[in-house]
Amino acid sequence: MQLFRALGVCSLFVGAFAQQSLVQLIQGNPNLTEFESLLKAFPNIYKNLSSASEITIFAPGNAAFAQLNYTVLAPAFSSYNIDFQRELIRYHVAVGVHPSGSFSGGSFSFLPTLLTNQSTTNVTGGQVISVVEQAGNNFVAVSGLGTRASLTELDLTFNGGVLHILDTFLIPPLDLTTSSPSFNLTSAPAAFIAAPSVLTQYVDVAEDLTIFAPNNNALQSIASSFSSMTVQDFTALVEYHIVPTNTTAYYSANLPNGVVAQNGSVYNTTTLTSLQGGNLTITFIANSLFVNQARIIQQDLLLSNGVLHIIDSVLDPNATGVAANPENAGPVQVVPGSSIAGNKLPFTTDLPTSTSILFSLVTETPTMTADGSAETGDGSAATSTGTGPLSSSKGWGEKVEVGTGGTGIVLGALIWVLGFI
């Protein structure tokens, strides 16, 4: 299986059907009036997109702008954060031409975008979005925080590529600590925080990570074991759940790539090297993905620096001989231990509780010039003083209160977890 579909596969599709320019396409579609206003606020980007070739634009339709105030993106617009808005536009542009037919078959396609700014992403080749065709000929794009956007209008061609209209904005993926509440993970992030080197050098900042995070039940079921572990043993356990690379994260599409026959059964398997140094065996069998003995129960949760897969049990570098077995009805526990009094979740004190702060760009306010336009340094954005996207009559630029919920208490979580073990 391959990570990305061939980027130039649809050149003939565009050449055969596209006669209009991008500007003509956008101006001629009544569902793109707000998107046009946003692009006009960034004339350099609009110009570059208009002259680009081999691109796919996932354009938020007017309905997406109408609900913008109710999303985590609201502060970026209410604060006139043009730096973030610029990167947001780039995240909606994929490299290569990808008509809807290239998403068929039920498998996710992972498309690199023009979002390459290292202040917002640390993924080689550009942060990705994933797109898939679901039942009923419905197409869905998945982005950060597991956000799902439906493709409501498909295959609008122009002379540089193809455009699909979305019913909601894509959200640039965030780091593990900030994303975890949206993925219903509370114990795993603090467990990663327990090893300082993992937090500072790998989990939230290192390039092209693949993280296998045990779900809450998995950590809860062995909570008693952590109190007897040394810091070194615990750090090794955490690092065994992380796979670093310098090329690309391991999305589900490129996990298994070898075929092995055993006891009359044929299945796909791949071996990955963890940060701890031990090997992880990825197995695809009986229509399920496993890492060692653990079943991957949620795949391809995008992070700012890679991808997260949620697993149903904790991995142990000292128990690599336990193989995947799809006949097991429940999780296979290889780390000795049991739940603690009150069936409490381990590592949950002082965890971040909100995903409202995307990253520093969202809360920074650009310098305003005397005429009310925003100064960016490169002159690539312009704001309107009366009309246009930053003062839209539809109200999507109005201020919305979004709580921060303690997202900065990483140090407190670190100190507490180290004290726990």
Side-chain angles (χ1 to χ4, degrees):
M1 301 176 70
Q2 298 180 353
L3 174 60
F4 300 124
R5 297 178 186 272
L7 298 181
V9 70
C10 300
S11 299
L12 293 177
F13 173 86
V14 174
F17 298 100
Q19 302 296 327
Q20 60 187 335
S21 67
L22 176 62
V23 174
Q24 290 171 328
L25 168 60
I26 292 176
Q27 291 181 343
N29 191 305
N31 198 20
L32 294 174
T33 55
E34 293 283 2
F35 183 61
E36 180 186 20
S37 296
L38 178 60
L39 289 179
K40 284 182 175 179
F42 298 87
N44 282 359
I45 289 182
Y46 199 6
K47 178 182 177 180
N48 290 338
L49 291 179
S50 299
S51 60
S53 60
E54 300 290 317
I55 61 173
T56 299
I57 299 176
F58 293 87
N62 290 346
F65 285 88
Q67 63 176 351
L68 189 57
N69 278 346
Y70 306 101
T71 74
V72 294
L73 297 175
F77 289 90
S78 63
S79 64
Y80 297 88
N81 190 329
I82 59 174
D83 289 330
F84 177 75
Q85 292 176 32
R86 183 189 303 110
E87 301 308 316
L88 183 64
I89 293 172
R90 288 171 175 156
Y91 186 54
H92 285 74
V93 183
V95 178
V97 180
H98 304 280
S100 59
S102 66
F103 307 133
S104 61
S107 298
F108 277 92
S109 297
F110 298 90
L111 312 180
T113 70
L114 299 185
L115 180 59
T116 58
N117 188 329
Q118 290 191 350
S119 66
T120 57
T121 188
N122 205 6
V123 175
T124 298
Q127 183 57 263
V128 306
I129 60 175
S130 58
V131 188
V132 67
E133 180 185 13
Q134 297 186 326
N137 199 36
N138 295 315
F139 295 84
V140 174
V142 184
S143 58
L145 304 181
T147 303
R148 299 168 62 86
S150 295
L151 281 61
T152 56
E153 293 187 47
L154 303 169
D155 302 326
L156 306 178
T157 59
F158 59 98
N159 54 16
V162 63
L163 182 148
H164 309 294
I165 298 181
L166 305 177
D167 67 348
T168 191
F169 274 82
L170 304 174
I171 296 178
L174 313 179
D175 60 51
L176 173 68
T177 304
T178 311
S179 299
S180 292
S182 293
F183 303 149
N184 197 30
L185 291 177
T186 50
S187 287
F192 287 119
I193 288 170
S197 63
V198 173
L199 173 66
T200 58
Q201 300 177 34
Y202 295 101
V203 170
D204 283 343
V205 297
E207 185 177 26
D208 298 321
L209 286 189
T210 302
I211 299 175
F212 298 99
N215 65 2
N216 288 342
N217 289 339
L219 287 167
Q220 185 181 47
S221 66
I222 63 167
S224 65
S225 66
F226 299 125
S227 60
S228 61
M229 288 185 186
T230 65
V231 172
Q232 291 76 13
D233 288 342
F234 185 81
T235 300
L237 185 74
V238 171
E239 290 180 341
Y240 190 58
H241 291 74
I242 301 170
V243 178
T245 68
N246 295 317
T247 53
T248 183
Y250 287 98
Y251 306 97
S252 62
N254 70 327
L255 274 176
N257 59 15
V259 178
V260 176
Q262 186 178 39
N263 299 327
S265 298
V266 176
Y267 58 92
N268 294 327
T269 186
T270 295
T271 299
L272 306 178
T273 302
S274 71
L275 180 62
Q276 179 265 348
N279 288 333
L280 298 168
T281 300
I282 310 298
T283 307
F284 183 76
I285 184 172
N287 206 34
S288 293
L289 269 172
F290 293 82
V291 53
N292 291 0
Q293 88 293 338
R295 189 186 299 264
I296 299 178
I297 56 178
Q298 197 167 0
Q299 305 171 13
D300 301 318
L301 302 174
L302 302 180
L303 301 175
S304 58
N305 60 333
V307 65
L308 170 71
H309 306 291
I310 299 178
I311 55 180
D312 68 353
S313 59
V314 178
L315 306 174
D316 186 349
N318 299 312
T320 57
V322 183
N325 185 353
E327 295 183 2
N328 289 324
V332 177
Q333 181 176 310
V334 295
V335 177
S338 60
S339 59
I340 55 180
N343 209 30
K344 295 179 181 179
L345 287 172
F347 315 121
T348 54
T349 297
D350 289 334
L351 270 182
T353 57
S354 172
T355 59
S356 63
I357 297 181
L358 291 178
F359 21 68
S360 60
L361 282 177
V362 174
T363 54
E364 294 173 357
T365 302
T367 302
M368 304 302 291
T369 62
D371 63 358
S373 62
E375 193 173 76
T376 65
D378 62 1
S380 58
T383 60
S384 171
T385 56
T387 59
L390 299 184
S391 57
S392 169
S393 60
K394 293 186 179 295
W396 57 273
E398 296 174 0
K399 185 176 181 180
V400 175
E401 297 296 333
V402 184
T404 58
T407 53
I409 320 180
V410 172
L411 180 60
L414 171 59
I415 294 172
W416 187 88
V417 174
L418 287 176
F420 180 79
I421 62 175

